[in-house]
Amino acid sequence: LEPQIIKGVYANWSLLVEPGGLESLIEIANTTEVNAIVIDIKQDTVYYDSQVQFFRDAGTVSPIYDVKEILTKLEENDIYAIGRLVVFQDPLVAEARPELAVQDVNGGLWRNEVGIGWVDAFHEELWDANIALAVEAIDLGFDEVQYDYVRFPSDGDLTTADFAKEYTAENRETAITTFMQRSYDAVHDAGGKLAADLFGFITIVDDEQYIGQRFSKLEPYLDYVSMMIYPSHFSEGNIASAPGHPNDYPYETIYESLERAEQIV
């Protein structure tokens, strides 16, 4: 089979509720090399009328668009449909099910530096719920599910964070890798593809970077990887081919990061 090059644009929830918003992206796809659209399906809120009982019970299903109508339009225009699903940065579930959230040793929910609560990725009930949502999306007609925030929290005072298991590198890595493996099997059984947004720095140093994402462990369970290679997030000296701060050398930063990713796998 000839490999298909996917070039996508992103439709966040606000654009999807604008009159003509989706149609404007379809027009771009029909007149350029763009052939895919990323649709937000869950970020705090589940944006369509999901039947996954976990999220219905948590009160986080709040339909703002007709998912079948959207997918029909994409199919009619031969556009590859990707569903973006935010996994563990889920403050609404954290509030609704505090026993599944990261706790604060001082009492209540742990919150990051901007006051957002996270669910605790050690809880397998959360794994099952998000996998069920991913499979539902494929069954509805999405070609691919793209996980975002599929990790432990990184911003905020983690010295006060209390997790369900001992907060070690091995445990974090095992949790995220096992969740991804189960997701991969379930999504493939449903006939879809699995992708994930991963921290760019995990290709520079092959460890879990305190968030559970180890590239060499996750890559076997992903069809596609979207590396978040933000040059501003690197420090001088991280990129050997950059003669200064990586933010001033975006090409070298991105090229070398991808090159190292290939070496790791």
Side-chain angles (χ1 to χ4, degrees):
L1 295 176
E2 289 291 327
Q4 183 182 13
I5 303 301
I6 299 299
K7 296 185 178 182
V9 290
Y10 170 52
N12 63 23
W13 68 267
S14 59
L15 182 138
L16 293 172
V17 299
E18 285 182 16
L22 178 65
E23 287 73 18
S24 68
L25 296 187
I26 290 175
E27 177 64 17
I28 290 172
N30 287 339
T31 55
T32 70
E33 69 272 25
V34 167
N35 58 4
I37 295 180
V38 181
I39 304 289
D40 268 336
I41 59 176
K42 175 199 166 201
Q43 180 168 330
D44 308 346
T45 300
V46 179
Y47 294 123
Y48 67 92
D49 190 20
S50 172
Q51 299 305 303
V52 176
Q53 199 61 47
F54 176 93
F55 295 109
R56 295 184 74 86
D57 291 344
T60 63
V61 177
S62 183
I64 63 169
Y65 57 71
D66 185 331
V67 67
K68 292 182 180 179
E69 180 182 341
I70 286 177
L71 290 171
T72 296
K73 289 180 179 179
L74 297 188
E75 184 178 11
E76 288 173 349
N77 289 274
D78 195 27
I79 296 172
Y80 187 80
I82 303 171
R84 175 177 173 265
L85 194 165
V86 173
V87 184
F88 297 122
Q89 182 178 280
D90 197 337
L92 296 185
V93 168
E95 298 288 350
R97 294 287 305 275
E99 75 278 12
L100 298 177
V102 181
Q103 306 296 311
D104 194 301
V105 296
N106 299 312
L109 300 184
W110 178 87
R111 301 179 189 278
N112 68 9
E113 59 188 11
V114 293
I116 295 176
W118 281 63
V119 293
D120 187 339
F122 285 127
H123 288 293
E124 294 191 26
E125 186 177 355
L126 295 165
W127 302 3
D128 295 339
N130 284 280
I131 290 171
L133 195 65
V135 169
E136 181 182 63
I138 298 299
D139 289 341
L140 285 167
F142 281 97
D143 299 293
E144 173 188 322
V145 169
Q146 181 187 79
Y147 282 158
D148 201 358
Y149 291 90
V150 55
R151 59 179 178 82
F152 286 85
S154 60
D155 302 320
D157 184 6
L158 287 164
T159 64
T160 68
D162 186 19
F163 294 87
K165 289 186 178 180
E166 187 178 359
Y167 190 63
T168 65
E170 181 179 2
N171 284 345
R172 291 190 298 267
E173 182 181 312
T174 298
I176 299 302
T177 303
T178 305
F179 168 68
M180 199 74 79
Q181 181 179 11
R182 292 186 190 177
S183 298
Y184 181 83
D185 291 342
V187 168
H188 272 240
D189 286 345
K193 301 293 186 183
L194 182 65
D197 304 327
L198 303 180
F199 265 22
F201 199 74
I202 64 173
T203 67
I204 301 299
V205 180
D206 188 28
D207 60 30
E208 54 85 44
Q209 287 294 302
Y210 302 97
I211 58 172
Q213 290 182 355
R214 185 169 186 175
F215 186 77
S216 59
K217 297 291 186 180
L218 295 178
E219 182 272 335
Y221 307 117
L222 289 167
D223 296 294
Y224 310 107
V225 175
S226 297
M227 299 306 303
M228 299 185 291
I229 305 170
Y230 307 136
S232 61
H233 287 36
F234 291 78
S235 298
E236 189 163 347
N238 288 155
I239 304 300
S241 57
H245 195 284
N247 198 45
D248 297 324
Y249 298 91
Y251 175 84
E252 290 82 0
T253 301
I254 293 169
Y255 185 87
E256 187 171 317
S257 295
L258 295 177
E259 195 173 46
R260 291 199 197 184
E262 290 185 343
Q263 293 170 357
I264 289 172
V265 298

